[in-house]
Amino acid sequence: MDIFRDKFRGIILGTAVGDALGLPAEGLSRKRVEKFFKGRWHHRLIFNKGMVSDDTEHTVFTAQCLIAHPDSPEKFIRKLAWSLRWWILFLPAGAGWATLRAVIRLWAGFSPEKSGVYSAGNGPAMRSAVLGAFFARDINNRNFEKPDAFIRASTMITHTDPRALTGAKAVAYITALGFQRDLIQKPELKEFIDLIRFPGKTDPEWIQITDSMSRCLQKDISVKEFAEIMGLSKGITGYIYHSVPAAIYAWYLHYGDFETTLSTILNCGGDTDTAGAIAGAVAGSVTGEKGIPQDWIKGIWEWPISINVLKKLSDALYFKAYGLEKKSDISFFGPGTILRNLFFIIIILMHGFRRLFPPY
């Protein structure tokens, strides 16, 4: 398999794996995660199987819209708006508050350019890895105009806080960096820091975060210790300036090691499904599908967006990005999603009930 085709699979499957592994631990503190989930990470949602949440679903929507409209951010965002409108009608569990309000505004008649709300939540970050992959050649050649237009459109449809755009760009740029064919060894620290600093170069908070990342990486500080330095000793929050730095810090520290990258993020607790999805995406951009533990992939129990559908979608996105005249059947039974979501909600409620009991 072509290395870039494998990397596209690595990003989308990595997102799903991080999302599914992290979902049972979402909202738990680091201490409770350590007590609940001992040993190597594996799927624990139901019968040692995993399911995905909105993080993977938004990745799928973004990929579908890119395939349909790879040259027009305006058409891309209009199609994404309809994907989000229909998505909310299928009763997704755990939709972010900002995203929920934005989709309601879309149904109320607001245009995709004006539907977003002022929030720096994680929504844009979980959509931007596939954008970074699709426009990797532009980003790596420092031609940011076209990819930035798509990243901005994908962000502003739900989140208008400038910090949301900074976080989304950082994820996209790091994903693109993983697409450099000759990037066998991890990039130089200065190159890494300069790249992630660029999206928020005028934001003092982002500059401070990237400076902290640089100092910690120079000292080879662990992901847990870095999270503590950021004030996240209880868990990674849903704030994009917490989740994105933690995920890309783990990406650099454990470069090329998918399992360790993801495990160290999940061990931090908090918003584990989204932080895991982001970390899984950026790690997958380096390792490809072949670097993801197969039991983590096969353990995802999903329908109608199955693992097979995700692989076909990844391939179709690769073909479109590289101008290959190949087509893949990536259709799935969309109405079945509502039945799946009702089942999913029951499982989530059962997990919530379980958390009322020890260990604390």
Side-chain angles (χ1 to χ4, degrees):
M1 181 184 293
D2 182 279
I3 185 174
F4 295 123
R5 182 177 177 181
D6 187 55
K7 285 176 179 286
F8 271 97
R9 286 193 175 192
I11 290 166
I12 292 182
L13 293 177
T15 298
V17 164
D19 184 9
L21 283 174
L23 188 60
E26 183 186 11
L28 292 177
S29 68
R30 191 175 83 184
K31 288 184 178 180
R32 290 201 80 190
V33 166
E34 291 171 351
K35 293 177 180 178
F36 264 98
F37 307 111
K38 297 182 183 297
R40 179 177 179 266
W41 280 88
H42 62 273
H43 293 292
R44 296 178 170 95
L45 190 70
I46 179 171
F47 304 132
N48 289 323
K49 296 292 184 179
M51 298 178 71
V52 301
S53 69
D54 58 326
D55 304 286
T56 303
E57 291 167 342
H58 282 226
T59 294
V60 169
F61 301 152
T62 306
Q64 289 175 319
C65 296
L66 268 176
I67 292 168
H69 301 293
D71 297 312
S72 171
E74 295 79 17
K75 292 180 180 178
F76 162 80
I77 201 60
R78 286 199 291 271
K79 183 171 177 61
L80 181 59
W82 277 109
S83 296
L84 293 176
R85 287 186 183 101
W86 289 115
W87 168 73
I88 207 69
L89 293 184
F90 289 161
L91 306 177
W97 177 231
T99 299
L100 178 61
R101 285 181 289 161
V103 177
I104 291 173
R105 286 165 63 88
L106 285 170
W107 274 116
F110 286 82
S111 70
E113 293 79 12
K114 296 182 179 180
S115 59
V117 299
Y118 192 79
S119 170
N122 281 322
M126 65 195 195
R127 293 192 291 267
S128 62
V130 291
L131 294 168
F134 194 82
F135 296 109
R137 288 171 294 180
D138 289 321
I139 293 171
N140 289 327
N141 289 323
R142 299 303 186 262
N143 298 322
F144 294 109
E145 183 177 357
K146 187 174 182 180
D148 280 1
F150 277 82
I151 298 167
R152 176 178 290 278
S154 172
T155 299
M156 299 296 284
I157 192 173
T158 53
H159 294 67
T160 62
D161 189 318
R163 292 171 294 182
L165 182 59
T166 295
K169 285 184 179 180
V171 171
Y173 292 1
I174 289 301
T175 304
L177 185 60
F179 264 66
Q180 291 188 15
R181 181 186 289 273
D182 58 352
L183 200 61
I184 299 172
Q185 300 296 324
K186 72 170 63 176
E188 293 294 326
L189 181 59
K190 184 179 185 303
E191 178 187 5
F192 168 71
I193 295 298
D194 286 349
L195 184 62
I196 61 172
R197 179 175 290 158
F198 178 72
K201 60 185 177 180
T202 60
D203 181 353
E205 184 181 0
W206 185 249
I207 295 298
Q208 184 179 7
I209 289 170
T210 54
D211 284 344
S212 178
M213 292 177 68
S214 179
R215 289 192 299 270
C216 290
L217 286 168
Q218 288 174 23
K219 297 177 182 179
D220 203 31
I221 286 175
S222 71
V223 175
K224 276 188 179 181
E225 291 173 307
F226 175 67
E228 290 175 356
I229 289 170
M230 291 183 65
L232 305 175
S233 59
K234 293 184 178 180
I236 298 170
T237 75
Y239 176 37
I240 203 166
Y241 273 16
H242 287 164
S243 57
V244 168
I248 60 181
Y249 184 91
W251 176 87
Y252 189 87
L253 184 65
H254 301 294
Y255 183 85
D257 185 338
F258 185 96
E259 181 167 342
T260 303
T261 298
L262 183 55
S263 297
T264 55
I265 283 294
L266 299 180
N267 288 338
C268 289
D271 193 6
T272 46
D273 61 331
T274 299
I278 297 169
V282 294
S285 72
V286 174
T287 69
E289 178 190 3
K290 64 180 181 295
I292 304 174
Q294 285 300 300
D295 62 313
W296 284 1
I297 296 175
K298 293 178 180 178
I300 296 178
W301 189 37
E302 270 297 344
W303 179 86
I305 305 178
S306 65
I307 288 296
N308 191 43
V309 168
L310 293 180
K311 288 182 179 181
K312 288 182 178 180
L313 179 64
S314 304
D315 292 347
L317 193 64
Y318 159 76
F319 295 146
K320 180 64 71 171
Y322 287 88
L324 303 175
E325 295 300 322
K326 295 184 179 181
K327 294 183 179 180
S328 296
D329 180 13
I330 53 173
S331 61
F332 56 89
F333 185 60
T337 303
I338 193 167
L339 298 176
R340 179 265 182 200
N341 285 346
L342 292 172
F343 175 66
F344 183 68
I345 290 171
I346 293 172
I347 296 172
I348 295 302
L349 290 174
M350 291 171 61
H351 274 268
F353 181 73
R354 168 64 185 88
R355 293 179 182 189
L356 298 176
F357 302 95
Y360 296 114

